[in-house]
Amino acid sequence: MVKDFKEFIMRGNVVDMAVGIVIGASFGAIVSSFVADIIMPPIGILLGNVDFSNLFTVIKEGTAPGPYATHAAAKAAGAVTINYGTFFNTIISFLIVAFSIFLLIRNINRMKRKEEAPPPAPSTKECPYCLSAIPIKAVRCAHCTSELKGQ
């Protein structure tokens, strides 16, 4: 059983998948930082100094009564909140990752289409009399000497 497991793990597909998962997790962290630190601050400024990570609704107040200035303050007080600003940031992150994957797959498909060149035109034909392979431009079969009119 250990031998079978080792063979399974060492297959190319499993190793490729593991590498893809690690790279994907790293890419997800980069995209999350890009959204939270680069994209959302200018959008927040354009919408009147809104910090999307602090957009939330209190469902149940915590030990200290509200209102809470930030999500962190509400969480520290033990309040139950719906964090729609964080959800919005997550949606933006997902869209960026999905678009990046779309572009990657699109380019891979383009490369595959270029690799699939049409087959070359045939350079030989079959003699209808002796069924030997002869050049396309031949007017007489080299094997049986038959004349190939219009063929």
Side-chain angles (χ1 to χ4, degrees), residues 124-135 141-144 148:
T124 61
K125 63 182 178 182
E126 218 174 57
C127 172
Y129 302 104
C130 69
L131 303 177
S132 299
I134 55 175
C141 178
H143 303 283
C144 68
L148 307 169

Side-chain angles (χ1 to χ4, degrees), residues 78-106:
V80 178
T81 60
I82 295 177
N83 307 313
Y84 59 90
T86 305
F87 181 70
F88 185 67
N89 284 350
T90 304
I91 288 174
I92 299 292
S93 295
F94 169 76
L95 292 175
I96 290 171
V97 170
F99 186 68
S100 299
I101 291 172
F102 165 75
L103 291 177
L104 177 72
I105 298 300
R106 184 174 170 211

Side-chain angles (χ1 to χ4, degrees), residues 2 8 20 23 32 36 40 46-47 58 65 70 77 98 100-101 110 112 118 122 126-127 142 146:
V2 172
F8 170 75
I23 290 173
S32 294
M40 297 315 285
L46 290 173
L47 296 176
V58 177
T70 64
S100 299
I101 291 172
R110 275 189 191 158
K112 282 184 180 178
E126 218 174 57
C127 172
S146 297

